[in-house]
Amino acid sequence: MLLSFSEKQIGALIPAFLHIDQQLNISAMGPGIMRHLPHVRIGMPCAEAFNIVNYDTAQFFQEGVNVQPVSLIARDSDVHLSGAAIFHEAGCLLAVRFAITEEMFADSSMDLSDFGHADPVILSTMLIVLQRAMLEESQANAIELAHERQRSTDLLERTSRVAGYMAHDFNNLLSVIRLNTDRLSRQFGKNEKIGKLAEIIQEMAARGSEITQSLMTLSLQRTDTRQPLSVDQVITENMGVLDSVVGPNITLKLNLDAGDRKCVVSYSDFLNALINLLINAREAMPMGGQIALSSSVGVGLIKGDGDTDADMVQSGSYVAIHIADTGAGMSDALLSRAFEPQFSSKPNGTGLGLASVRNFALEMGGDVWLESVEGKGTTAYLHLPVVRTVAPLVAADSGPAHAGMPDALGKQRILLVEDEPYALEALVEMLEAEGYAVTPCASGEEALIALGQDAYDVLLTDVVMPGQNGTEVARDACIAQPSIKVILMSGYVPDSAAFQPGWLFLHKPMESAKLLKLISA
């Protein structure tokens, strides 16, 4: 059946194919082979061009029958190919494709034409390359901001604003992808192939969301706004940027035991303090090593922000963050000057990193210090006081777990506000399929008109919209209809001061199941 296709047709379907004749010579090959393996020629013995993994070349072709899996390695370039060997009376067709490697990503040598139509590796390749580019950008921005924060306030503000807009817009796109993938799963869930592709897309969207969470750390929405924050949650949310800061040659180990204990801190300042401490640990290990980042809760004396030692000591619970490296360590003389502004032991250092960490710790009512042994590494201790009373924003992830998918409560009426048309369409379809009565609005102004015309049980609204934003719509809705349930959704992590008690928040890109649980709770 395959022999009825021309070489050009087979090459369009399988760009990396090879045909081996009965003399075990290469008689045909696809355009991908010609492009990436120029040393391979028609007529060349297969054994001179490729090694067959786990097989002697002659034995593989002589004993092969029907269809067998095959994996090849090019002799001159170590390019890997894998797929199937299809035997027939005139020889053997190797229907193979390239196995993606770090080197191929690094030199950008692969393009879409190197893969066949509907090949799932295309989507994976595109999304992985996008993630890599965003992580590299996050690393560059994080390091730049950590070193230049005091000297380039204007640049920080511009970069942060752009990062926030990028993350918000990208989260909107990811939300559309996830919602429409849910639609595919519901409609074609019994089709195994479509279901598998939907799972791949959902997983890639989830990974993309982790990256945009790291981008959000560069936005200024929380700058100089102190609020109760879980130290463990902030660290977990930003593992993408923290991993990129330490680099590929260093292992970052976590041991987070502070639980849900919160400290009143500035989100951005706390993250910048962590980044500065990680940069110092990384630069102490130029040949690689390990950094242990841990958190715990203690009770005792910590320092505050007074002018004298007597003023600076206070008693209470605190969260202890420890960052320990396996680097060269510091001498006593160097350790005594580590927190001095503009003092640095590094040739290109600014001397601002640890000084800014100390300023942050004292401003937040805590303290920071170092312990080091030459030849054995350094440990940084950052202690922050635990807030005694916290009234946090109610979040979708912090609510009680519900078993199974909830049923829609009769004809509950939902006022849906979303300025992204594809997301609006997908949400309407999903909610109506669950039995809810939905009134869709593309702007805050439309929603206010709808509130004046009818009564609603739930307001589900995006936060960031042109014109009337989601929080303004929610405040007006609560005044007009005090019993309405408010659910806000956004790609931004919101400032809790802008929300009223009892409002719920769902982070984009959102899961349909989580949204339905929140509505029916």
Side-chain angles (χ1 to χ4, degrees), residues 137 141 145 152-170 212 214-223 268 464 491-492:
E137 182 69 17
N141 286 338
L145 291 174
S152 54
T153 302
D154 291 341
L155 175 62
L156 174 63
E157 291 178 354
R158 290 195 298 270
T159 304
S160 299
R161 193 175 300 113
V162 170
Y165 289 142
M166 286 176 59
H168 174 259
D169 290 346
F170 195 63
T212 56
S214 297
L215 276 176
M216 287 306 302
T217 65
L218 302 179
S219 72
L220 287 177
Q221 59 177 318
R222 293 181 182 270
T223 297
S268 295
V464 181
Y492 281 113

Side-chain angles (χ1 to χ4, degrees), residues 10 16 22 44 53 112 120 123 158 165 177-178 208 233 258 336 355 360 365 391 406 409 432 441 453 476 493 497:
I10 295 177
Q22 292 180 332
M44 174 185 287
V53 178
L112 293 182
L123 177 62
R158 290 195 298 270
Y165 289 142
I177 291 172
R178 295 193 69 163
Q233 183 177 347
S336 66
F360 161 77
L409 303 181
E432 288 182 344
C441 298
Q453 296 174 343
D476 290 341
V493 177

